[in-house]
Amino acid sequence: MKKTKNIFELLYMIKKHPGAFLGSPSIISMNFFLLGICYASELFEANYMINEFNNFQKWLKVKYNDTSHWCSFLHKKYGDSEKAFDIFFIELSNFLKENGIEEPHIE
């Protein structure tokens, strides 16, 4: 597996191969995985575009008019962890386009 340049590239790798990272496409499993990545990024003082990911989380809260954690409100709104997982990536794509961030292309 190749090294990733930033968290968005990692997310697109997860989208393409959720089983390799999470076991199955689950918004809850992805949330815990991302919490670990963010913690490790701070621990090792790696940039990894965590601030941009935090901006995505804020953007989701505004779009859905919900102040709870993104994982919670997506799971609650769509009632299914796998459906919420799919919606997360649709919203991520929208966020990247709106903010002029190139979508990663994973082979």
Side-chain angles (χ1 to χ4, degrees), residues 25-101:
S26 161
I27 195 80
I28 295 167
S29 296
M30 187 168 63
N31 176 52
F32 287 117
F33 181 86
L34 290 173
L35 287 171
I37 292 295
C38 291
Y39 176 71
S41 179
E42 287 181 27
L43 187 66
F44 296 109
E45 297 179 1
N47 177 358
Y48 218 55
M49 293 183 77
I50 299 299
N51 289 336
E52 288 82 352
F53 181 68
N54 289 337
N55 289 338
F56 170 59
Q57 294 178 75
K58 292 174 191 172
W59 180 87
L60 278 174
K61 287 181 178 192
V62 169
K63 180 169 183 174
Y64 284 84
N65 193 29
D66 196 318
T67 58
S68 60
H69 190 273
W70 61 268
C71 177
S72 298
F73 68 74
L74 286 176
H75 189 264
K76 196 181 313 173
K77 179 168 179 61
Y78 295 101
D80 175 84
S81 189
E82 190 170 342
K83 176 69 175 169
F85 179 88
D86 293 337
I87 296 297
F88 173 90
F89 284 103
I90 291 169
E91 296 296 9
L92 178 61
S93 177
N94 292 335
F95 170 81
L96 294 175
K97 287 174 188 166
E98 281 184 25
N99 288 277
I101 301 170

Coordinates of all heavy atoms in Angstrom, one line a residue, residues 25-101:
P25 N -17.7 -1.1 5.6 CA -18.0 0.3 5.4 C -19.0 0.8 6.5 O -20.2 0.5 6.5 CB -18.6 0.4 4.0 CG -19.1 -0.9 3.7 CD -18.2 -1.9 4.5
S26 N -18.4 1.4 7.6 CA -19.2 1.8 8.7 C -18.7 3.2 9.2 O -17.6 3.4 9.4 CB -18.9 0.8 9.9 OG -19.3 1.3 11.1
I27 N -19.7 4.1 9.3 CA -19.4 5.4 9.8 C -18.8 5.4 11.2 O -17.9 6.2 11.5 CB -20.6 6.4 9.6 CG1 -20.3 7.8 9.7 CG2 -21.7 6.0 10.7 CD1 -19.7 8.4 8.5
I28 N -19.3 4.5 12.0 CA -18.8 4.4 13.4 C -17.4 4.0 13.4 O -16.5 4.5 14.1 CB -19.7 3.5 14.2 CG1 -21.1 4.2 14.3 CG2 -19.2 3.3 15.6 CD1 -22.2 3.3 14.8
S29 N -17.1 2.9 12.7 CA -15.7 2.4 12.6 C -14.7 3.5 12.0 O -13.6 3.6 12.5 CB -15.6 1.1 11.8 OG -16.3 0.1 12.3
M30 N -15.2 4.2 11.0 CA -14.4 5.2 10.4 C -14.1 6.3 11.4 O -13.0 6.9 11.4 CB -15.0 5.8 9.1 CG -14.1 6.7 8.4 SD -14.6 7.1 6.7 CE -16.2 8.0 7.1
N31 N -15.1 6.7 12.2 CA -14.9 7.7 13.2 C -13.8 7.4 14.1 O -12.9 8.2 14.4 CB -16.2 8.0 13.9 CG -16.1 9.0 15.0 OD1 -15.6 10.1 14.8 ND2 -16.5 8.6 16.2
F32 N -13.8 6.2 14.6 CA -12.8 5.7 15.6 C -11.4 5.7 14.9 O -10.4 6.1 15.5 CB -13.1 4.4 16.2 CG -14.2 4.5 17.2 CD1 -15.4 3.9 17.1 CD2 -14.1 5.3 18.4 CE1 -16.4 4.0 18.0 CE2 -15.1 5.5 19.3 CZ -16.3 4.8 19.1
F33 N -11.4 5.2 13.7 CA -10.1 5.2 12.9 C -9.6 6.6 12.7 O -8.4 6.9 13.0 CB -10.4 4.5 11.5 CG -9.2 4.4 10.7 CD1 -8.3 3.3 10.8 CD2 -8.9 5.4 9.7 CE1 -7.2 3.2 10.0 CE2 -7.7 5.3 8.9 CZ -6.9 4.2 9.1
L34 N -10.4 7.6 12.4 CA -10.0 8.9 12.2 C -9.6 9.6 13.5 O -8.6 10.4 13.4 CB -11.1 9.8 11.5 CG -11.4 9.4 10.0 CD1 -12.6 10.1 9.5 CD2 -10.2 9.6 9.2
L35 N -10.2 9.3 14.6 CA -9.8 9.8 15.8 C -8.3 9.4 16.1 O -7.5 10.2 16.6 CB -10.7 9.4 17.0 CG -12.1 10.0 17.0 CD1 -13.0 9.3 18.0 CD2 -12.0 11.5 17.3
G36 N -8.0 8.2 15.8 CA -6.6 7.7 16.0 C -5.7 8.4 15.1 O -4.6 8.7 15.5
I37 N -6.1 8.6 13.8 CA -5.2 9.3 12.9 C -4.9 10.7 13.3 O -3.8 11.2 13.3 CB -5.8 9.3 11.5 CG1 -5.8 7.9 10.9 CG2 -5.1 10.2 10.5 CD1 -4.5 7.2 10.6
C38 N -6.0 11.4 13.8 CA -5.8 12.8 14.2 C -4.9 12.9 15.5 O -4.1 13.8 15.6 CB -7.2 13.4 14.5 SG -8.2 13.7 13.0
Y39 N -5.1 11.9 16.4 CA -4.3 11.9 17.6 C -2.8 11.6 17.2 O -1.9 12.3 17.7 CB -4.8 10.8 18.6 CG -3.9 10.7 19.8 CD1 -3.9 11.7 20.7 CD2 -3.0 9.6 19.9 CE1 -3.0 11.6 21.8 CE2 -2.2 9.5 21.0 CZ -2.2 10.5 22.0 OH -1.4 10.4 23.1
A40 N -2.6 10.7 16.3 CA -1.2 10.4 15.9 C -0.6 11.6 15.2 O 0.6 11.8 15.4 CB -1.2 9.1 15.0
S41 N -1.4 12.3 14.4 CA -0.9 13.4 13.7 C -0.4 14.5 14.7 O 0.7 15.1 14.5 CB -2.0 14.0 12.8 OG -1.5 15.1 12.1
E42 N -1.2 14.7 15.7 CA -0.7 15.7 16.8 C 0.5 15.1 17.5 O 1.4 15.9 17.8 CB -1.9 15.9 17.7 CG -3.0 16.8 17.1 CD -4.1 17.0 18.1 OE1 -3.8 17.0 19.4 OE2 -5.2 17.2 17.7
L43 N 0.5 13.9 17.9 CA 1.5 13.3 18.6 C 2.9 13.4 17.9 O 3.9 13.7 18.5 CB 1.2 11.8 18.9 CG 2.1 11.0 19.9 CD1 2.0 11.6 21.3 CD2 1.7 9.6 19.9
F44 N 2.9 13.1 16.6 CA 4.1 13.2 15.9 C 4.3 14.5 15.1 O 5.2 14.6 14.3 CB 4.1 12.0 14.9 CG 4.1 10.7 15.6 CD1 3.0 9.9 15.5 CD2 5.2 10.3 16.3 CE1 3.0 8.6 16.2 CE2 5.2 9.0 16.9 CZ 4.1 8.2 16.9
E45 N 3.5 15.5 15.4 CA 3.6 16.8 14.8 C 3.6 16.8 13.3 O 4.4 17.4 12.7 CB 4.7 17.6 15.4 CG 4.6 17.8 16.9 CD 5.8 18.5 17.5 OE1 6.7 18.9 16.8 OE2 5.8 18.7 18.7
A46 N 2.7 15.9 12.7 CA 2.6 15.8 11.3 C 1.5 16.7 10.8 O 0.4 16.8 11.5 CB 2.3 14.4 10.9
N47 N 1.6 17.4 9.7 CA 0.6 18.3 9.2 C -0.6 17.5 8.8 O -1.7 17.7 9.3 CB 1.2 19.1 8.1 CG 0.2 20.1 7.5 OD1 -1.0 20.1 7.8 ND2 0.6 20.9 6.5
Y48 N -0.5 16.7 7.8 CA -1.5 15.8 7.3 C -2.8 16.4 6.9 O -3.8 15.8 6.8 CB -1.7 14.7 8.3 CG -1.9 13.3 7.6 CD1 -1.0 12.8 6.7 CD2 -3.0 12.6 7.9 CE1 -1.2 11.6 6.1 CE2 -3.2 11.3 7.3 CZ -2.3 10.9 6.4 OH -2.5 9.7 5.8
M49 N -2.9 17.8 6.9 CA -4.1 18.5 6.5 C -5.3 18.3 7.5 O -6.5 18.3 7.2 CB -4.6 18.2 5.1 CG -3.6 18.7 4.0 SD -4.2 18.5 2.3 CE -5.4 19.8 2.2
I50 N -4.9 18.1 8.8 CA -5.9 17.9 9.8 C -6.8 19.1 10.0 O -8.0 19.0 10.2 CB -5.3 17.5 11.2 CG1 -4.5 16.2 11.0 CG2 -6.3 17.4 12.3 CD1 -5.3 15.0 10.6
N51 N -6.2 20.3 9.9 CA -7.0 21.6 10.0 C -8.1 21.6 8.9 O -9.2 22.0 9.2 CB -6.1 22.8 9.9 CG -5.3 23.0 11.2 OD1 -5.7 22.5 12.2 ND2 -4.2 23.7 11.0
E52 N -7.8 21.2 7.7 CA -8.7 21.2 6.6 C -9.8 20.2 6.9 O -11.0 20.4 6.6 CB -8.0 20.9 5.3 CG -7.2 22.0 4.7 CD -5.8 22.1 5.4 OE1 -5.5 21.3 6.3 OE2 -5.0 22.9 4.9
F53 N -9.5 19.0 7.5 CA -10.5 18.0 7.9 C -11.4 18.6 9.0 O -12.6 18.4 8.9 CB -9.8 16.7 8.3 CG -10.8 15.7 8.7 CD1 -11.6 15.1 7.8 CD2 -11.0 15.3 10.0 CE1 -12.6 14.2 8.1 CE2 -12.0 14.4 10.4 CZ -12.8 13.8 9.4
N54 N -10.8 19.4 9.9 CA -11.6 20.0 10.9 C -12.6 21.0 10.3 O -13.7 21.1 10.7 CB -10.8 20.7 12.0 CG -10.0 19.7 12.9 OD1 -10.5 18.6 13.0 ND2 -8.9 20.1 13.4
N55 N -12.2 21.7 9.2 CA -13.0 22.6 8.5 C -14.2 21.8 7.8 O -15.3 22.3 7.8 CB -12.3 23.4 7.5 CG -11.4 24.4 8.1 OD1 -11.6 24.8 9.3 ND2 -10.3 24.8 7.4
F56 N -13.9 20.6 7.4 CA -14.9 19.8 6.8 C -16.0 19.4 7.8 O -17.2 19.5 7.6 CB -14.3 18.5 6.2 CG -15.3 17.5 5.8 CD1 -16.3 17.8 4.8 CD2 -15.3 16.2 6.3 CE1 -17.3 16.8 4.5 CE2 -16.2 15.3 5.9 CZ -17.2 15.5 5.0
Q57 N -15.5 19.1 9.0 CA -16.5 18.8 10.1 C -17.4 20.0 10.4 O -18.6 19.8 10.6 CB -15.7 18.3 11.4 CG -15.0 17.0 11.2 CD -14.2 16.6 12.4 OE1 -14.7 16.2 13.4 NE2 -12.8 16.8 12.3
K58 N -16.8 21.2 10.5 CA -17.6 22.4 10.8 C -18.5 22.6 9.6 O -19.7 23.0 9.9 CB -16.6 23.6 10.9 CG -15.8 23.5 12.1 CD -14.8 24.7 12.2 CE -13.7 24.5 13.3 NZ -12.6 25.5 13.2
W59 N -18.1 22.4 8.4 CA -18.9 22.6 7.2 C -20.2 21.7 7.3 O -21.3 22.1 7.0 CB -18.1 22.3 6.0 CG -18.8 22.4 4.6 CD1 -18.9 23.6 3.9 CD2 -19.4 21.4 3.9 NE1 -19.6 23.3 2.7 CE2 -19.8 21.9 2.7 CE3 -19.5 20.0 4.1 CZ2 -20.5 21.2 1.7 CZ3 -20.2 19.3 3.1 CH2 -20.6 19.8 2.0
L60 N -19.9 20.4 7.7 CA -21.0 19.5 7.8 C -22.0 19.9 8.9 O -23.3 19.8 8.7 CB -20.5 18.1 8.3 CG -20.0 17.2 7.2 CD1 -19.4 15.9 7.8 CD2 -21.0 16.8 6.2
K61 N -21.5 20.4 10.0 CA -22.4 20.9 11.1 C -23.3 22.0 10.6 O -24.5 22.1 10.9 CB -21.6 21.4 12.3 CG -21.0 20.2 13.0 CD -20.2 20.7 14.3 CE -19.7 19.5 15.0 NZ -19.2 19.9 16.3
V62 N -22.7 22.9 9.8 CA -23.5 24.1 9.3 C -24.5 23.5 8.2 O -25.7 23.9 8.3 CB -22.6 25.1 8.6 CG1 -23.4 26.2 7.8 CG2 -21.8 25.8 9.7
K63 N -24.1 22.7 7.3 CA -25.0 22.2 6.3 C -26.2 21.4 6.9 O -27.3 21.6 6.4 CB -24.2 21.3 5.3 CG -25.1 20.7 4.2 CD -24.3 20.0 3.2 CE -25.3 19.6 2.1 NZ -24.7 19.1 0.9
Y64 N -25.9 20.6 7.9 CA -27.0 19.8 8.5 C -27.6 20.5 9.7 O -28.5 20.0 10.3 CB -26.4 18.4 8.9 CG -26.2 17.5 7.8 CD1 -25.1 17.6 7.0 CD2 -27.2 16.6 7.4 CE1 -24.9 16.7 5.9 CE2 -27.1 15.8 6.3 CZ -25.9 15.8 5.6 OH -25.7 15.0 4.5
N65 N -27.2 21.7 10.0 CA -27.7 22.5 11.1 C -27.8 21.7 12.4 O -28.8 21.5 13.0 CB -29.1 23.1 10.7 CG -29.6 24.1 11.7 OD1 -28.7 24.8 12.3 ND2 -30.9 24.2 11.9
D66 N -26.7 21.0 12.7 CA -26.6 20.2 13.8 C -25.2 20.4 14.5 O -24.2 20.4 13.9 CB -26.7 18.7 13.4 CG -27.0 17.8 14.5 OD1 -26.4 17.9 15.6 OD2 -27.9 16.9 14.3
T67 N -25.3 20.6 15.8 CA -24.0 20.9 16.6 C -23.4 19.6 17.2 O -22.3 19.7 17.8 CB -24.3 21.9 17.7 OG1 -25.3 21.4 18.5 CG2 -24.7 23.3 17.1
S68 N -24.0 18.5 17.1 CA -23.5 17.3 17.6 C -22.3 16.8 16.7 O -22.1 17.3 15.6 CB -24.5 16.2 17.8 OG -25.1 15.9 16.6
H69 N -21.7 15.7 17.1 CA -20.5 15.2 16.3 C -21.0 14.7 15.0 O -22.1 14.1 14.9 CB -19.9 14.1 17.1 CG -18.6 13.6 16.6 ND1 -18.5 12.6 15.6 CD2 -17.3 14.0 16.8 CE1 -17.3 12.4 15.3 NE2 -16.5 13.3 16.0
W70 N -20.2 14.9 13.9 CA -20.6 14.5 12.6 C -21.0 13.1 12.5 O -22.0 12.8 11.8 CB -19.5 14.9 11.6 CG -18.2 14.2 11.8 CD1 -17.2 14.6 12.5 CD2 -17.8 12.9 11.3 NE1 -16.1 13.7 12.5 CE2 -16.5 12.6 11.8 CE3 -18.5 11.9 10.5 CZ2 -15.9 11.4 11.5 CZ3 -17.8 10.8 10.2 CH2 -16.5 10.5 10.7
C71 N -20.3 12.2 13.1 CA -20.6 10.8 13.0 C -22.0 10.5 13.6 O -22.8 9.8 13.0 CB -19.6 10.0 13.8 SG -19.9 8.2 13.8
S72 N -22.3 11.1 14.8 CA -23.6 10.9 15.4 C -24.8 11.4 14.6 O -25.7 10.7 14.4 CB -23.6 11.7 16.8 OG -22.6 11.2 17.6
F73 N -24.6 12.7 14.0 CA -25.8 13.2 13.3 C -26.0 12.5 11.9 O -27.1 12.3 11.5 CB -25.9 14.7 13.2 CG -24.9 15.4 12.4 CD1 -24.9 15.4 11.1 CD2 -23.9 16.2 13.1 CE1 -23.9 16.1 10.3 CE2 -23.0 16.9 12.4 CZ -23.0 16.9 11.0
L74 N -24.9 12.1 11.3 CA -25.1 11.4 10.0 C -25.7 10.0 10.3 O -26.6 9.6 9.6 CB -23.7 11.2 9.3 CG -23.2 12.5 8.6 CD1 -21.8 12.2 8.0 CD2 -24.1 13.0 7.6
H75 N -25.2 9.3 11.3 CA -25.8 8.0 11.6 C -27.2 8.1 12.0 O -28.1 7.3 11.6 CB -25.0 7.4 12.8 CG -25.3 5.9 13.0 ND1 -26.2 5.5 14.0 CD2 -24.9 4.8 12.4 CE1 -26.3 4.2 14.0 NE2 -25.5 3.7 13.0
K76 N -27.6 9.1 12.8 CA -28.9 9.3 13.3 C -29.8 9.7 12.1 O -30.9 9.1 11.9 CB -29.0 10.4 14.3 CG -30.3 10.5 15.1 CD -30.3 11.6 16.1 CE -29.0 11.7 16.9 NZ -28.9 12.9 17.8
K77 N -29.4 10.6 11.2 CA -30.2 11.0 10.1 C -30.5 9.9 9.1 O -31.6 9.8 8.6 CB -29.5 12.2 9.4 CG -30.3 12.7 8.2 CD -29.8 14.0 7.7 CE -30.5 14.5 6.5 NZ -31.9 14.8 6.7
Y78 N -29.5 9.1 8.8 CA -29.6 8.0 7.8 C -30.0 6.7 8.4 O -30.3 5.8 7.7 CB -28.4 8.0 6.9 CG -28.3 9.3 6.1 CD1 -27.4 10.3 6.5 CD2 -29.2 9.6 5.1 CE1 -27.4 11.5 5.8 CE2 -29.1 10.8 4.4 CZ -28.2 11.7 4.8 OH -28.2 13.0 4.1
G79 N -29.9 6.5 9.7 CA -30.3 5.3 10.4 C -29.5 4.1 10.1 O -29.9 3.0 10.6
D80 N -28.5 4.2 9.4 CA -27.7 3.0 9.0 C -26.2 3.4 8.9 O -26.0 4.4 8.2 CB -28.3 2.5 7.7 CG -27.5 1.3 7.2 OD1 -27.7 0.2 7.6 OD2 -26.6 1.5 6.3
S81 N -25.3 2.7 9.5 CA -23.9 3.1 9.5 C -23.3 3.0 8.1 O -22.5 3.9 7.7 CB -23.1 2.1 10.4 OG -21.8 2.6 10.6
E82 N -23.7 2.1 7.3 CA -23.2 2.0 5.9 C -23.7 3.1 5.0 O -23.0 3.7 4.2 CB -23.5 0.6 5.3 CG -22.8 0.4 4.0 CD -22.9 -1.1 3.5 OE1 -23.2 -2.0 4.3 OE2 -22.6 -1.3 2.3
K83 N -25.0 3.4 5.1 CA -25.6 4.5 4.4 C -24.9 5.8 4.8 O -24.6 6.6 3.9 CB -27.1 4.6 4.6 CG -27.8 5.7 3.9 CD -27.8 5.6 2.4 CE -28.6 6.7 1.8 NZ -28.5 6.8 0.4
A84 N -24.7 6.0 6.1 CA -24.1 7.2 6.5 C -22.6 7.3 6.0 O -22.1 8.4 5.7 CB -24.1 7.3 8.1
F85 N -22.0 6.2 5.9 CA -20.6 6.1 5.4 C -20.6 6.6 3.9 O -19.8 7.4 3.5 CB -20.2 4.6 5.4 CG -18.8 4.3 4.9 CD1 -17.7 4.5 5.7 CD2 -18.6 3.9 3.6 CE1 -16.4 4.2 5.1 CE2 -17.4 3.6 3.0 CZ -16.3 3.7 3.8
D86 N -21.6 6.1 3.1 CA -21.7 6.6 1.7 C -22.0 8.1 1.6 O -21.4 8.8 0.8 CB -22.8 5.8 1.0 CG -22.5 4.3 0.9 OD1 -21.3 3.9 0.9 OD2 -23.4 3.5 0.7
I87 N -22.9 8.6 2.5 CA -23.2 10.0 2.5 C -22.0 10.8 2.9 O -21.8 11.9 2.3 CB -24.4 10.3 3.4 CG1 -25.7 9.6 2.9 CG2 -24.7 11.8 3.6 CD1 -26.2 10.0 1.5
F88 N -21.3 10.4 3.8 CA -20.0 11.1 4.3 C -19.2 11.4 3.0 O -18.7 12.5 2.9 CB -19.3 10.2 5.3 CG -17.9 10.8 5.6 CD1 -17.8 11.6 6.7 CD2 -16.8 10.4 4.9 CE1 -16.5 12.1 7.0 CE2 -15.5 10.9 5.2 CZ -15.4 11.8 6.3
F89 N -19.0 10.4 2.2 CA -18.1 10.6 1.0 C -18.7 11.5 -0.1 O -18.0 12.2 -0.7 CB -17.6 9.3 0.4 CG -16.6 8.6 1.3 CD1 -16.9 7.6 2.2 CD2 -15.3 9.1 1.3 CE1 -15.9 7.0 3.0 CE2 -14.3 8.6 2.1 CZ -14.6 7.6 3.0
I90 N -20.0 11.5 -0.2 CA -20.7 12.4 -1.1 C -20.5 13.8 -0.6 O -20.1 14.7 -1.3 CB -22.2 12.1 -1.2 CG1 -22.4 10.8 -1.9 CG2 -23.0 13.2 -1.9 CD1 -23.8 10.2 -1.9
E91 N -20.7 14.0 0.7 CA -20.5 15.3 1.3 C -19.0 15.8 1.3 O -18.7 16.9 1.1 CB -21.0 15.4 2.8 CG -22.5 15.2 2.9 CD -23.3 16.2 2.2 OE1 -22.8 17.1 1.5 OE2 -24.6 16.2 2.5
L92 N -18.1 14.8 1.5 CA -16.7 15.2 1.4 C -16.3 15.7 0.0 O -15.6 16.7 -0.1 CB -15.8 13.9 1.8 CG -14.3 14.1 1.7 CD1 -13.8 15.2 2.6 CD2 -13.6 12.8 2.0
S93 N -16.8 15.0 -1.0 CA -16.6 15.4 -2.4 C -17.1 16.8 -2.6 O -16.5 17.7 -3.2 CB -17.2 14.4 -3.4 OG -17.1 14.9 -4.7
N94 N -18.3 17.1 -2.1 CA -18.9 18.5 -2.2 C -18.1 19.5 -1.5 O -17.8 20.6 -2.1 CB -20.3 18.5 -1.6 CG -21.3 17.7 -2.5 OD1 -21.1 17.4 -3.6 ND2 -22.4 17.2 -1.8
F95 N -17.6 19.2 -0.3 CA -16.7 20.1 0.4 C -15.4 20.4 -0.3 O -15.0 21.6 -0.4 CB -16.4 19.5 1.8 CG -15.4 20.3 2.6 CD1 -15.7 21.4 3.2 CD2 -14.1 19.8 2.6 CE1 -14.7 22.1 3.9 CE2 -13.1 20.5 3.3 CZ -13.4 21.7 4.0
L96 N -14.8 19.4 -0.8 CA -13.5 19.6 -1.5 C -13.7 20.5 -2.8 O -12.9 21.4 -3.0 CB -12.9 18.2 -1.9 CG -12.5 17.3 -0.8 CD1 -12.0 16.0 -1.3 CD2 -11.4 18.0 0.1
K97 N -14.8 20.2 -3.5 CA -15.1 21.0 -4.7 C -15.3 22.5 -4.3 O -14.8 23.4 -4.9 CB -16.3 20.5 -5.5 CG -15.9 19.2 -6.2 CD -17.2 18.6 -6.8 CE -16.8 17.2 -7.4 NZ -18.0 16.4 -7.7
E98 N -16.1 22.7 -3.3 CA -16.5 24.1 -2.9 C -15.3 24.8 -2.4 O -15.2 26.0 -2.4 CB -17.5 24.0 -1.7 CG -18.9 23.8 -2.2 CD -19.9 23.9 -1.1 OE1 -19.7 24.6 0.0 OE2 -21.0 23.3 -1.2
N99 N -14.3 24.1 -1.8 CA -13.1 24.8 -1.3 C -11.9 24.7 -2.1 O -10.8 25.0 -1.7 CB -12.8 24.1 0.1 CG -13.9 24.6 1.1 OD1 -13.8 25.7 1.7 ND2 -14.9 23.8 1.3
G100 N -12.0 24.3 -3.4 CA -10.9 24.2 -4.3 C -9.8 23.3 -4.0 O -8.7 23.5 -4.3
I101 N -10.2 22.2 -3.3 CA -9.2 21.2 -2.9 C -9.4 20.0 -3.9 O -10.5 19.5 -4.0 CB -9.4 20.7 -1.4 CG1 -9.3 21.9 -0.5 CG2 -8.4 19.6 -1.1 CD1 -9.7 21.5 1.0

